[in-house]
Amino acid sequence: TRVTTMLDPLLSGTRVACHANTVAAAYAARMLGTLGADVIWIEAPQGSTLRREPPFLPGDGHVSALFAYLAAGARSRAIELGTASGRDQLAGILSETDVFIDDTPVEERGPLDIDEEAIARKHPDLVHVSVRPFGAFGPKAHWQAEELIVQHASGEGYLIPNGLTCELFPDRSPVKIHGHFAEMQGGIAAALGALSALWVRHEVGGQYVDISSQDATLAVGAFAIQRLGDGSVEH
């Protein structure tokens, strides 16, 4: 029996597999890694699309600064999930993994054996975290969305700049908060969902956690309630 001390990282001894091509899923893995988890990236042979996301670090110009941050401290494994041998390799990794974070489009999961049912059947003790712009269920589950879309779909874009931008500047094109604000909100929700599922895994086994970045970013607007304390209200 391993004795955990207050000096040990919270997730020491926990293994996380991350199959990510978007910031939300990658950021969730990054935070779990910061808490001490052993993170392994599952990438296609050509690498995650995040590797090609600008800006690039000084030097040869081929290292994405965003990817370098998101994958810091993680290991990488190139696997072709479109082949039977690749799916077997992933199954082997997941059999020794505590959390699997995935952002694959819903319609592509079945053929790759990484849909909710397949994962639950093969790995009943695994915490399976799905991170999509609009979640994996409902009428928007198949929709694709970049950062700008998620920000405005969540209502956050409507508040820029610290007010009702549509009323202040009705003729201006949509604007966004710099960087990946909305996707990182999805990543935060995914990390918290994974931690919650891990907390009770000894009682209920593995669980499926479905995260919508839109929903997570919408929740940020709840800060308006806090404004009641200083006498201002935003709608």
Side-chain angles (χ1 to χ4, degrees):
T1 301
R2 183 177 182 277
V3 177
T4 301
T5 72
M6 292 296 290
L7 298 178
D8 288 327
L10 177 65
L11 296 182
S12 178
T14 301
R15 176 170 292 182
V16 175
C18 174
H19 183 232
N21 285 292
T22 65
V23 170
Y27 191 52
R30 172 69 161 85
M31 286 189 291
L32 296 180
T34 301
L35 292 175
D38 176 24
V39 179
I40 179 170
W41 274 61
I42 308 300
E43 300 187 70
Q46 66 272 25
S48 168
T49 57
L50 290 169
R51 288 183 178 271
R52 299 180 284 281
E53 184 76 18
F56 298 97
L57 295 176
D60 59 14
H62 296 297
V63 178
S64 165
L66 177 64
F67 180 82
Y69 167 73
L70 293 171
R75 297 174 291 128
S76 178
R77 178 80 175 270
I79 298 178
E80 179 53 76
L81 294 181
T83 66
S85 61
R87 292 190 291 275
D88 288 342
Q89 292 178 58
L90 178 62
I93 292 174
L94 295 184
S95 67
E96 301 177 345
T97 296
D98 301 290
V99 178
F100 176 47
I101 303 173
D102 180 41
D103 61 9
T104 302
V106 176
E107 63 274 11
E108 297 177 15
R109 295 178 178 183
L112 300 179
D113 285 341
I114 53 175
D115 57 294
E116 178 186 358
E117 293 76 16
I119 293 294
R121 182 177 64 254
K122 296 180 180 179
H123 311 282
D125 293 324
L126 182 67
V127 173
H128 180 192
V129 182
S130 167
V131 192
R132 296 288 302 156
F134 300 101
F137 294 92
K140 300 177 185 177
H142 298 278
W143 288 17
Q144 303 296 319
E146 296 294 337
E147 174 68 19
L148 176 68
I149 303 301
V150 178
Q151 282 192 25
H152 282 269
S154 67
E156 189 64 30
Y158 188 70
L159 296 174
I160 302 170
N162 194 32
L164 304 181
T165 186
C166 293
E167 294 182 6
L168 295 173
F169 310 103
D171 299 324
R172 189 172 67 181
S173 300
V175 294
K176 64 181 283 291
I177 300 170
H178 180 70
H180 302 271
F181 175 83
E183 291 183 280
M184 286 187 170
Q185 298 304 321
I188 291 170
L192 291 173
L195 290 172
S196 298
L198 282 173
W199 184 265
V200 296
R201 188 171 60 155
H202 67 287
E203 298 177 2
V204 302
Q207 293 190 73
Y208 178 73
V209 180
D210 179 29
I211 298 297
S212 159
S213 291
Q214 179 200 28
D215 193 42
T217 309
L218 176 64
V220 177
F223 79 90
I225 295 296
Q226 301 169 10
R227 295 294 185 91
L228 294 175
D230 61 21
S232 62
V233 178
E234 292 190 10
H235 299 282

